[in-house]
Every structure is written in C-alpha cells, then in structure tokens.
Amino acid sequence: MSFSFRADGSLAGRRIDQAVAERRPELSRAQVQRLLEQGAITVAGRTVKPAARLREGDLVRGQIPEPEPDRLEAEPLPLEVVYEDPHLIVIDKPAGLVVHPAPGH
C-alpha cells in the first residue's frame, strides 16, 4: 500500500517519523522509523533519517509492505471436553499447555 502527502504549515519543522505516524495512524512510530531506515519512505524523493525535519511543501511518499502471513500450524491434541453446547465449549486444559503463541513457543 502506498501513500503520499505534502507537508503543510502545521508539519513544517516536525520530525518526519512523528509526521508520518500522525498522518498514518495505523502505523506506530517504531514502524515508521523502521520503514524510514529501510528507505520505504522518502521526502522530496530522498531517503532520510527518522529525525529529519520537514519543510513546508515537502512531498512525503511511502510504501507500506503487505503483512506476512502467520506461519502457525495447529497440532492434533487429545483434549477432554467437559461441556459443550451450540455457544460454548469447556475444555480441561492440561497444565503447561501453551494457548497463546509467543517467542520461544
């Protein structure tokens, strides 16, 4: 997904990472900084550091890469169903069984 905007007076003098994060609220400032470091966001056709300051009239362009698909795979596990109806299921989860994947699991 690409985007572009021209810096108006309210953005003049502001850091580029702050301005992009404000204009593109779906991106965190850390994500914007990463995109700047990768050269995916330019100011007036040039790559810049996150701390670069905007000038009025600067054209900011960026390319947001498509998110990578999750690579999670379900595992067949023997689980004991304690209760089940059309709206609810209760499972006796064994101690130590991870229910939400995290780094290291």
Side-chain angles (χ1 to χ4, degrees), residues 79-92:
L79 298 173
E80 181 185 344
V81 176
V82 178
Y83 174 81
E84 183 176 5
D85 70 25
H87 306 285
L88 178 73
I89 187 167
V90 177
I91 297 173
D92 184 13

Side-chain angles (χ1 to χ4, degrees), residues 49-97:
K49 300 245 183 239
R53 303 284 175 167
L54 285 174
R55 294 178 298 195
E56 188 169 355
D58 277 346
L59 180 61
V60 178
R61 291 180 187 244
Q63 184 68 33
I64 304 169
E66 292 295 321
E68 293 186 28
D70 289 335
R71 291 177 173 44
L72 302 176
E73 293 184 29
E75 295 180 39
L77 299 172
L79 298 173
E80 181 185 344
V81 176
V82 178
Y83 174 81
E84 183 176 5
D85 70 25
H87 306 285
L88 178 73
I89 187 167
V90 177
I91 297 173
D92 184 13
K93 181 187 88 63
L97 177 67

Side-chain angles (χ1 to χ4, degrees), residues 10-30:
S10 69
L11 296 177
R14 305 241 342 250
R15 287 174 53 119
I16 181 66
D17 58 345
Q18 292 172 335
V20 172
E22 180 180 304
R23 289 288 177 103
R24 303 300 303 205
E26 73 276 15
L27 296 173
S28 70
R29 194 157 153 206

